[in-house]
Amino acid sequence: MSSKFYYDDITLDRAHQLRTDDEWLTANLTGESAGSNSHIIPVWRDKSLVFTDEQNAAAPQAAILRGEAAELIRQNAATLVFLGLEGDAIYYAADLSHLEDPHSLPLPDGAIFEDLRRLATALDPIDAGYLAYARALVHWHRGHQFCGVCGSETQAGRGGHDRACLNSDCGKVHFPRTDPAVIMLVTHPNEDSCLLGHNKKFQGLRYSTIAGFVEPGEMLEQAVAREVYEETNIQVVDVEYKASQPWPFPASIMLGFRARAISTEIICHDQELVEAKWFSREEVLEMADGHETLPPTNLSISRWLIDGWLYEK
Ligand SMILES: [Zn+2]
């Protein structure tokens, strides 16, 4: 099975039963003899470690460290998070954010901290999934050092999958959050075109499917209809779930839908979406051929939703 999307980390066994096995965690994560099978993914302030070779214009590679390099990171990490298993290999995220300059550590040659989002699709998709998972959990730990209920300090538990408040009168246990976002391919009432928008945050003249966050107390289908209407004035029906893509930037999951428009006049109300248009199949194919306008990147759920419509007939 290959990755359908970036960041979908399909090959890792999250082995949740080991998160509460203190003996195993001590032997393999924090104890003195831990580390022989460790694969460590360092994270520094939302940046991931990658090997670059710009002189030879080679694609960057995820730096998943083993042996001495891993041990150095393990000893310097503020928090270690058990991510899961792949065969005998034990994967951890290591938070180095407390260091002013992580390059003060003797990191392997060519290893630098980079923004995973900026690297976009240059990395191997499986590795990108591991780095995204590590980045998301480290991001959560950094933002939850103090209890949101009483303000006391918290401490990581369950192999780094929760943080418990140290105030015994409170004792609230906090868990990592994932915020649902909907992303939808809207088809024209006569089915010959689809609705795509250009967001001012996009690099280049890129057009993509409409997306937005789910609000508290809202069904996903309602969120799809509300976001499309809010952003483009288009009313939709027949909202149908298709697939999902983890989007840990910092903590979302994209839930992909198809929906059918019952109105056609586009008015962009949203300040971020600067333009939305109906694109025929021919116009979408022209974008993919490298014209001035660009489609969403490969292995993104947006591109997959568009391709699903493009090639269904
Ligand atoms: Zn508390």
Side-chain angles (χ1 to χ4, degrees):
M1 187 175 175
S2 60
S3 285
K4 186 191 280 182
F5 307 123
Y6 266 89
Y7 318 124
D8 61 9
D9 86 1
I10 52 167
T11 59
L12 201 67
D13 170 8
R14 295 193 176 212
H16 61 92
Q17 73 281 3
L18 295 176
R19 296 174 189 171
T20 49
D21 187 337
D22 290 338
E23 202 176 323
W24 188 90
L25 287 171
T26 302
N28 292 283
L29 185 64
T30 54
E32 283 191 4
S33 58
S36 61
N37 293 330
S38 293
H39 287 51
I40 292 213
I41 301 176
V43 182
W44 181 75
R45 301 182 188 178
D46 286 345
K47 291 189 173 179
S48 307
L49 195 65
V50 293
F51 292 117
T52 58
D53 183 5
E54 284 179 5
Q55 268 187 336
N56 295 314
Q61 291 193 341
I64 299 174
L65 304 179
R66 304 178 62 182
E68 278 179 35
E71 187 56 24
L72 174 85
I73 300 298
R74 200 171 72 85
Q75 288 174 2
N76 282 280
T79 307
L80 287 170
V81 181
F82 169 56
L83 298 176
L85 308 173
E86 191 185 58
D88 291 338
I90 306 168
Y91 281 77
Y92 308 109
D95 182 13
L96 299 174
S97 304
H98 60 293
L99 300 175
E100 238 0 89
D101 176 12
H103 293 282
S104 61
L105 297 174
L107 297 171
D109 287 347
I112 59 163
F113 282 93
E114 267 286 5
D115 182 355
L116 186 58
R117 260 191 103 161
R118 203 185 73 76
L119 294 169
T121 52
L123 296 175
D124 171 81
I126 301 275
D127 288 350
Y130 289 1
L131 264 51
Y133 177 24
R135 180 192 193 276
L137 276 170
V138 167
H139 178 90
W140 177 78
H141 278 282
R142 289 181 60 219
H144 292 78
Q145 299 288 309
F146 296 93
C147 177
V149 179
C150 77
S152 301
E153 275 190 66
T154 59
Q155 186 176 53
R158 290 177 70 240
H161 289 267
D162 69 24
R163 293 194 73 88
C165 177
L166 293 176
N167 172 4
S168 56
D169 290 337
C170 172
K172 170 82 176 166
V173 180
H174 301 270
F175 296 96
R177 295 286 310 272
T178 297
D179 300 325
V182 288
I183 183 163
M184 40 278 177
L185 191 279
V186 176
T187 54
H188 192 275
N190 63 17
E191 297 281 324
D192 65 358
S193 58
C194 71
L195 180 66
L196 302 178
H198 173 66
N199 188 304
K200 66 180 179 188
K201 285 188 195 157
F202 291 167
Q203 291 176 343
L205 196 54
R206 196 176 290 281
Y207 283 82
S208 184
T209 44
I210 310 299
F213 283 104
V214 180
E215 294 188 347
E218 188 175 48
M219 291 191 299
L220 299 177
E221 294 84 351
Q222 288 176 300
V224 168
R226 176 184 53 74
E227 281 289 343
V228 174
Y229 185 71
E230 276 181 13
E231 295 196 3
T232 65
N233 197 52
I234 298 297
Q235 292 175 282
V236 300
V237 294
D238 298 343
V239 176
E240 186 184 346
Y241 174 75
K242 292 291 183 185
S244 65
Q245 180 184 24
W247 195 252
F249 303 106
S252 295
I253 180 162
M254 294 279 197
L255 304 161
F257 289 84
R258 274 279 286 270
R260 187 168 61 82
I262 52 170
S263 67
T264 58
E265 188 193 357
I266 296 167
I267 304 170
C268 286
H269 299 300
D270 190 277
Q271 305 223 320
E272 298 221 316
L273 195 77
V274 287
E275 192 188 18
K277 293 196 289 193
W278 293 109
F279 283 76
S280 68
R281 284 185 169 80
E282 291 69 29
E283 287 168 326
V284 173
L285 286 168
E286 274 181 19
M287 274 204 287
D289 284 343
H291 282 59
E292 187 186 0
T293 53
L294 298 167
T297 51
N298 285 330
L299 292 181
S300 68
I301 191 165
S302 179
R303 179 68 168 267
W304 182 85
L305 288 166
I306 294 170
D307 285 350
W309 167 73
L310 201 55
Y311 299 113
E312 71 191 351
K313 286 183 181 172

